[in-house]
């Protein structure tokens, strides 16, 4: 592949969205299959988890095997109930990530990587790009109420999706010339059963939906997998995980001609020849 001097530096912004984030795996698979390089990755929440694992190894097959191989017994073994700040402490989840994370420091990754968390004290996005990757990912995936937030210096860190659900600006600041964003917040849909018990959750979804729309405005390509929220089922069953991964593959293949056209429009011919040969 051409050197960075002869082609655009391509960045991937992986958004948050719970188990919908398994679609990130399918998207990366298709980019790899078509020889589209990924020079930078920024991830929020589940995007930080998938992005961090991939940045450390560049082995999407191994990550897919993790996603489809996890079963309900393994998931239950990671439960560590808490009575303060979240239903679960998150220490067992952190242990699982540590076991599967090939690189322990950002400086050790094969692809430059950033993770996004949110400081509950200020509401500001907190960008991790150096030091301990494990702490960064654990902070980024701290879904409010579900996982206890992470105390980090004077900050109290929670889900990155509260501030940057699709971290396009982060991957731009890393040096990307061409940004592919994955937005998992665009499938809200009409809620027929809006009641006292789910109105708070629906309100949070709406806020994230509109924040994500702002985040993606400067992306060159936006991929929106056609996946409704599978809830915990994608984490618990192989069949559902495979289904969500495939939905990521589908949207990437659908958008592939647009990706190539956008690169060509920018005049970056050096990257296109080999890719087009693979498609023909």
């Amino acid at each position: 592949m051409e050197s960075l001097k002869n082609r655009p530096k391509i960045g991937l912004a992986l958004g948050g969205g719970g188990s919908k984030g398994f679609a990130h795996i399918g998207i990366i698979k298709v980019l790899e299959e078509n020889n589209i390089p990924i020079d930078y990755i920024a991830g929020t929440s589940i995007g930080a988890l998938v992005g961090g694992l991939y940045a450390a190894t560049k082995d999407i097959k191994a990550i897919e095997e993790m996603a489809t191989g996890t079963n309900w017994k393994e998931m239950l073994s990671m439960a560590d109930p808490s009575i303060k700040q979240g239903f679960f402490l998150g220490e067992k989840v952190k242990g699982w990530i540590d076991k599967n994370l090939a690189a322990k420091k950002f400086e050790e990754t094969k692809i430059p990587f950033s993770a996004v968390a949110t400081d509950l004290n200020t509401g500001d996005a907190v960008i991790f790009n150096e030091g301990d990757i494990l702490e960064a990912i654990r902070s980024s995936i701290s879904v409010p109420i579900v996982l206890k937030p992470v105390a980090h210096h004077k900050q109290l860190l929670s889900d990155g999706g509260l501030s940057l659900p699709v971290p396009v600006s982060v991957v731009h600041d890393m040096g990307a010339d061409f940004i592919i964003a994955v937005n998992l917040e665009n499938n809200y849909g009409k809620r027929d059963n809006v009641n006292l018990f789910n109105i708070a959750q629906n309100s949070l979804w709406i806020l994230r939906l509109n924040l994500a729309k702002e985040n993606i405005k400067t992306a060159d390509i936006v991929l929106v997998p056609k996946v409704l929220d599978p809830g915990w089922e994608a984490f618990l069953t192989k069949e559902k995980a495979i289904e969500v991964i495939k939905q990521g593959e589908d949207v990437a293949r659908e958008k592939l001609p647009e990706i190539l056209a956008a690169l060509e429009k920018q005049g970056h011919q050096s990257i296109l020849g080999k890719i087009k040969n693979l498609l023909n």
Side-chain angles (χ1 to χ4, degrees):
M1 180 54 65
E2 305 284 343
S3 71
L4 288 180
K5 293 182 179 179
N6 298 321
R7 64 167 176 81
K9 291 172 282 186
I10 298 175
L12 190 58
L14 301 179
S19 59
K20 290 186 291 184
F22 282 1
H24 293 320
I25 298 171
I27 288 166
I28 294 172
K29 282 177 63 179
V30 172
L31 295 178
E32 271 198 355
E33 288 167 6
N34 290 280
N35 205 45
I36 296 176
I38 301 169
D39 300 300
Y40 303 102
I41 300 174
T44 289
S45 198
I46 187 70
L49 178 58
V50 174
L53 290 170
Y54 182 68
T57 62
K58 294 186 71 173
D59 188 348
I60 198 61
K61 183 177 180 180
I63 297 169
E64 182 177 24
E65 289 173 354
M66 286 182 212
T68 58
T70 302
N71 56 45
W72 66 271
K73 289 183 179 179
E74 184 174 356
M75 289 299 297
L76 289 176
S77 73
M78 287 190 275
D80 46 4
S82 170
I83 59 173
K84 186 178 181 181
Q85 297 183 325
F87 290 137
F88 301 102
L89 290 171
E91 289 303 304
K92 290 187 177 181
V93 171
K94 186 176 178 180
W96 181 90
I97 297 171
D98 189 32
K99 181 179 71 173
N100 291 285
L101 192 61
K104 305 305 180 184
K105 301 290 184 182
F106 281 90
E107 295 78 9
E108 298 170 355
T109 60
K110 295 185 177 182
I111 301 172
F113 169 63
S114 294
V116 181
T118 303
D119 184 358
L120 291 177
N121 293 325
T122 64
D124 294 334
V126 177
I127 314 303
F128 288 91
N129 52 30
E130 59 182 21
D132 188 353
I133 297 181
L134 178 60
E135 189 79 358
I137 294 175
R138 170 61 182 85
S139 299
S140 186
I141 66 171
S142 299
V143 178
I145 302 177
V146 178
L147 284 181
K148 183 179 179 179
V150 176
H152 179 75
H153 300 306
K154 295 182 179 180
Q155 300 166 320
L156 187 62
L157 302 180
S158 189
D159 190 346
L162 298 173
S163 54
L164 277 177
V166 192
V168 172
S169 60
V170 178
V171 79
H172 177 271
D173 290 344
M174 293 172 74
D177 303 307
F178 186 90
I179 299 173
I180 300 171
V182 185
N183 182 13
L184 302 175
E185 302 287 354
N186 205 36
N187 289 315
Y188 176 76
K190 185 177 182 292
R191 293 296 198 269
D192 294 321
N193 184 29
V194 177
N195 56 48
L196 179 64
F197 299 101
N198 62 26
I199 194 168
Q201 183 181 38
N202 292 348
S203 298
L204 179 58
W205 282 338
I206 292 169
L207 290 171
R208 287 176 61 132
L209 172 71
N210 285 287
L211 184 54
K213 287 179 181 178
E214 290 298 313
N215 290 171
I216 63 177
K217 283 184 175 179
T218 57
D220 295 279
I221 296 290
V222 179
L223 305 182
V224 185
K226 297 174 182 177
V227 52
L228 295 176
D229 191 354
W232 289 100
E233 192 176 351
F235 289 125
L236 300 176
T237 69
K238 180 177 181 178
E239 293 74 20
K240 181 59 71 171
I242 290 172
E243 178 185 324
V244 177
I245 290 169
K246 184 179 183 303
Q247 287 163 330
E249 293 178 39
D250 289 345
V251 72
R253 290 196 174 96
E254 178 185 329
K255 284 278 193 174
L256 197 56
E258 187 177 332
I259 294 172
L260 297 178
L263 285 166
E264 193 164 21
K265 185 177 180 180
Q266 291 190 11
H268 298 296
Q269 302 291 338
S270 61
I271 196 174
L272 295 177
K274 192 170 183 180
I275 296 173
K276 287 184 175 179
N277 289 336
L278 289 170
L279 294 176
N280 294 330

